[in-house]
Amino acid sequence: ALPISKLMERNELAKRPSDGHQWRINFSRVQWGVKINNEKGEYEKNPCCQSCAVPGTAAEDNWTWSPQGKVAMHLPERWGILQFSSSTSPRNDEVVLEYKEWDVRCCAMALYYAQKGYYNKEGKYTDLMERLKPFFKQPFLLHSAADVRITITEEEGFTATATIGSLTATINQERYLVVREDVLSSY
């Protein structure tokens, strides 16, 4: 069972999921090989990765529910999509819905990574898109329909928003990302 209330804590807009709701989520297991130390009578780590490109590499095994593209579990923009269902048993006719936040979330992540690239080069963030353009890279690129706004904050950080249709994603220098829907513009 998932601790739903705990997973919803940091998002004031979160609602208890119901049939068809979708969340970005991932599950991970880090597994170290072990060996017995006969002198101490205890187990010791014995790095011997079996899931690595070269089996036997001196590293841990990292198992995830959805592909990450790299060993970096703390990248929620790369997590899988979980769709909730009111059905108590699997159904073959269950409809997987389109994840409508995908494009706007990708735009926000593109802005985040471009800002980080710019910061690493210049030592500060920028509110000028022209300066960020060289830093946009796959897999996160700006959507051509996105309306983008960037503000430099007093704490020497940034807040960026990307709006596509009725959805607006807001992200800051800490990679805190929230998506809101303007229900009036969706009519």
Side-chain angles (χ1 to χ4, degrees):
L2 293 173
I4 298 294
S5 297
K6 278 290 193 195
L7 294 171
M8 296 169 39
E9 266 182 6
R10 193 159 175 206
N11 185 348
E12 70 276 2
L13 302 174
K15 297 176 187 158
R16 184 165 286 285
S18 60
D19 193 57
H21 277 147
Q22 296 173 319
W23 282 7
R24 297 298 300 275
I25 196 164
N26 210 346
F27 304 96
S28 170
R29 173 184 172 149
V30 176
Q31 180 175 329
W32 288 90
V34 293
K35 65 181 179 181
I36 298 174
N37 180 328
N38 289 324
E39 292 177 16
K40 294 182 180 179
E42 57 189 37
Y43 290 104
E44 292 179 347
K45 284 184 184 177
N46 181 31
C48 185
C49 181
Q50 298 306 304
S51 63
C52 294
V54 178
T57 300
E60 74 282 3
D61 283 287
N62 287 276
W63 311 97
T64 59
W65 172 68
S66 65
Q68 299 293 282
K70 58 167 71 173
V71 179
M73 184 60 193
H74 302 284
L75 299 173
E77 64 275 13
R78 294 177 181 258
W79 293 354
I81 299 167
L82 174 68
Q83 181 172 309
F84 290 88
S85 173
S86 58
S87 176
T88 56
S89 61
R91 297 186 338 231
N92 289 336
D93 65 339
E94 193 82 38
V95 176
V96 177
L97 304 173
E98 178 185 349
Y99 186 58
K100 68 180 184 175
E101 294 181 3
W102 184 258
D103 288 339
V104 76
R105 283 180 173 275
C106 284
C107 285
M109 291 314 306
L111 290 163
Y112 171 80
Y113 284 116
Q115 283 283 24
K116 289 300 180 177
Y118 183 84
Y119 186 91
N120 287 339
K121 183 177 180 194
E122 302 294 335
K124 61 183 179 179
Y125 297 112
T126 182
D127 58 358
L128 301 175
M129 284 296 293
E130 195 61 37
R131 291 183 182 169
L132 291 178
K133 282 183 181 178
F135 299 95
F136 289 112
K137 296 181 176 128
Q138 290 284 359
F140 302 106
L141 299 174
L142 280 182
H143 192 284
S144 60
D147 177 30
V148 174
R149 314 265 164 132
I150 303 170
T151 305
I152 303 302
T153 63
E154 291 181 19
E155 301 83 31
E156 297 182 17
F158 73 89
T159 300
T161 62
T163 301
I164 301 175
S166 65
L167 296 173
T168 298
T170 303
I171 194 162
N172 67 14
Q173 73 280 353
E174 295 176 345
R175 200 171 65 207
Y176 183 60
L177 171 62
V178 176
V179 176
R180 290 185 168 82
E181 182 169 19
D182 179 2
V183 291
L184 295 178
S185 68
S186 60
Y187 289 105

